[in-house]
Amino acid sequence: MWKYLHRLSSLKYCYEWSGKWVPWLLGVTAVLMLVGLYWGLLVAPTDYQQGESYRIMYIHVPSAWMSMFVYAVMAGAGFVALVWKTKLSEIIVSECAVIGAMFTALALITGMLWGKPTWGTYWLWDARLTSELILLFLYFGIIAIHSVIEEPRTAGRVASILAIIGIINIPIIHYSVTWWSSLHQPNMQLVSKTPSVHPSMLYPLLVMAVAFQMYFVSLLFIRMRNEILYRERLTKWVKKALAGH
Amino acid sequence: MRTQRKQRMIFIVVLLVGLSCATALALYAMRQNIMLFHTPSEVYTGKVPENRLFRIGGLVVVGSVVKADDGLTTDFGLTDLNQSITVRYTGLLPDLFREGQGIVAQGSLDGHGVFIAQEVLAKHDENYMPPEVAASLKQYRDTIPKGMSGYGPKAP
């Protein structure tokens, strides 16, 4: 198995197999996005308290979930990068930072737009909002490391350390609404006998969640392939691959 | 596994455990500051700051909302299901403000036990359902003992 993993992580081989996956991933993402958005924005019933404005959750909630999930992937890749010193995991760290920052910004912006009509304010320094903003700054920090340190292997190592340290913020974000009083509502209870979201609203949300996952993997593969080409630009196989176009 | 890799792995794990402990202690020490609001009970036990703005959170007492003649000032009771306090607010209330709903208000005490709010924000819960479900749930709740409900806000 180790041999297989090793082969899988060689940059050339990775470039080849990920290329086959990209069109399929993009196709699945597009279909799920369309189904989820149509179902969530037009078919799902209005909420008994919030009326129509609750529908922003079909973007907000999956982005917020992804902002944390992408960080976990990035920290995991950072761990592998530090222990095994593989180039591919360093590339995953740098690409996850950009994608994660995008999801975090999306979650914050949609949350603010939601906050104004629901709470009466765009922003408030409660534990959930603040810890999510810190997450955005952590992503920015990792992006900054890659643009400041020119040598990619050194940058990869420094970024991996920051990624691993920042993982402490993830449980804080998740439990912020449980540990402290906050304006943000508690976490949705999805895996219980009495879920807090009615099924007619929950199913489109789950479709959107899977769509966002697929979107993340597609983006990661596309960005990863570009970065591989850039890092290996002086090798024969890249010149040969590019000559074909 | 080679020893070097093992060492790096142990180093990272030790680093994370140490950092987690430090963070946990820091957050525990700052817990009062991280709390967004005080409860009405804390007003009675004197745990709220004097001469300074603070936030208070709770549920709007059902049947307690009184509009003043000027049409802008609203008095309402705020409860944490243990103690309640009167809150006075002049201005527009958020759409979600209603009896039985959670709110967070910022302001200070006027010395007569009334909380003068400068800002009232609505806090909503994690329950989402269509209006019909909410209505039938309410009917269902009224006919059965409390605490046996499915979806929806937990009965106080």
Side-chain angles (χ1 to χ4, degrees):
Chain A
M1 191 193 101
W2 287 107
K3 233 181 194 164
Y4 176 71
L5 270 181
H6 195 258
R7 192 166 117 86
L8 209 63
S9 71
S10 99
L11 294 188
K12 175 172 181 279
Y13 187 65
C14 173
Y15 180 82
E16 283 161 2
W17 66 257
S18 60
K20 287 178 199 137
W21 279 88
V22 168
W24 293 101
L25 286 166
L26 282 175
V28 174
T29 306
V31 171
L32 286 174
M33 259 323 160
L34 284 173
V35 171
L37 283 176
Y38 180 77
W39 196 351
L41 298 184
L42 297 167
V43 180
T46 50
D47 183 58
Y48 77 118
Q49 287 280 13
Q50 301 176 52
E52 302 292 345
S53 70
Y54 93 96
R55 292 184 198 277
I56 206 164
M57 87 167 174
Y58 292 111
I59 304 291
H60 174 76
V61 175
S63 333
W65 284 343
M66 289 312 292
S67 72
M68 295 193 278
F69 178 79
V70 173
Y71 200 97
V73 171
M74 185 173 76
F79 182 79
V80 175
L82 283 183
V83 175
W84 283 275
K85 311 246 178 209
T86 46
K87 277 187 199 166
L88 183 64
S89 43
E90 285 173 10
I91 292 176
I92 293 176
V93 171
S94 78
E95 303 316 315
C96 276
V98 180
I99 304 169
M102 179 197 76
F103 283 126
T104 313
L106 199 58
L108 285 169
I109 293 167
T110 51
M112 285 165 76
L113 294 176
W114 190 4
K116 189 63 186 171
T118 348
W119 301 335
T121 183
Y122 287 111
W123 188 265
L124 188 94
W125 294 98
D126 86 343
R128 171 57 68 85
L129 275 61
T130 310
S131 55
E132 183 77 9
L133 187 66
I134 292 173
L135 182 70
L136 184 65
F137 291 154
L138 278 170
Y139 280 126
F140 283 168
I142 288 162
I143 296 170
I145 287 170
H146 284 104
S147 52
V148 167
I149 303 175
E150 278 170 26
E151 211 288 297
R153 298 304 309 258
T154 319
R157 223 160 39 235
V158 178
S160 299
I161 293 171
L162 180 59
I164 289 173
I165 290 173
I167 193 76
I168 291 170
N169 193 31
I170 298 299
I172 296 179
I173 296 175
H174 182 79
Y175 290 108
S176 56
V177 286
T178 316
W179 290 340
W180 304 293
S181 62
S182 64
L183 188 62
H184 194 283
Q185 63 269 38
N187 295 321
M188 290 172 170
Q189 299 298 319
L190 299 183
V191 275
S192 81
K193 256 198 200 155
T194 55
S196 64
V197 182
H198 191 266
S200 60
M201 299 163 161
L202 180 62
Y203 294 140
L205 181 64
L206 295 180
V207 172
M208 285 307 284
V210 179
F212 269 59
Q213 283 280 356
M214 290 296 123
Y215 184 48
F216 161 58
V217 181
S218 324
L219 278 185
L220 179 64
F221 277 19
I222 293 168
R223 297 191 60 94
M224 203 169 74
R225 286 162 56 77
N226 282 337
E227 184 66 20
I228 290 173
L229 285 185
Y230 181 74
R231 288 199 188 191
E232 303 277 280
R233 63 192 177 280
L234 298 178
T235 61
K236 256 189 211 151
W237 74 266
V238 169
K239 283 179 182 157
K240 216 167 129 192
L242 292 183
H245 290 279
Chain B
M1 198 185 300
R2 272 188 280 147
T3 31
Q4 242 188 340
R5 280 180 193 161
K6 211 178 210 166
Q7 271 175 354
R8 287 200 291 261
M9 219 183 253
I10 293 168
F11 174 76
I12 294 171
V13 171
V14 170
L15 177 85
L16 271 181
V17 171
L19 272 170
S20 314
C21 292
T23 317
L25 287 172
L27 290 177
Y28 182 73
M30 294 194 298
R31 68 193 180 284
Q32 282 305 324
N33 299 54
I34 302 174
M35 288 286 179
L36 185 71
F37 53 78
H38 293 276
T39 59
S41 298
E42 284 172 2
V43 173
Y44 285 92
T45 50
K47 279 186 187 151
V48 297
E50 284 174 52
N51 311 320
R52 191 162 69 76
L53 290 182
F54 65 94
R55 285 202 180 85
I56 190 167
L59 299 171
V60 179
V61 179
V62 175
S64 72
V65 180
V66 180
K67 287 259 179 205
D69 290 337
D70 65 0
L72 272 176
T73 306
T74 314
D75 278 18
F76 57 91
L78 192 68
T79 179
D80 57 1
L81 306 178
N82 184 20
Q83 294 280 6
S84 59
I85 184 173
T86 305
V87 177
R88 182 166 299 147
Y89 176 67
T90 306
L92 289 173
L93 290 161
D95 291 349
L96 271 190
F97 179 91
R98 54 196 72 165
E99 294 177 351
Q101 186 76 19
I103 63 122
V104 176
Q106 189 177 35
S108 54
L109 293 167
D110 71 346
H112 306 287
V114 176
F115 185 86
I116 307 294
Q118 299 181 353
E119 183 188 44
V120 173
L121 301 174
K123 176 175 161 64
H124 74 92
D125 55 30
E126 72 279 29
N127 299 299
Y128 299 83
M129 60 185 129
E132 314 87 74
V133 177
S136 65
L137 193 69
K138 192 172 176 300
Q139 220 174 16
Y140 177 66
R141 275 237 184 84
D142 293 343
T143 54
I144 57 147
K146 276 175 183 166
M148 295 178 64
S149 50
Y151 306 106
K154 278 119 211 119

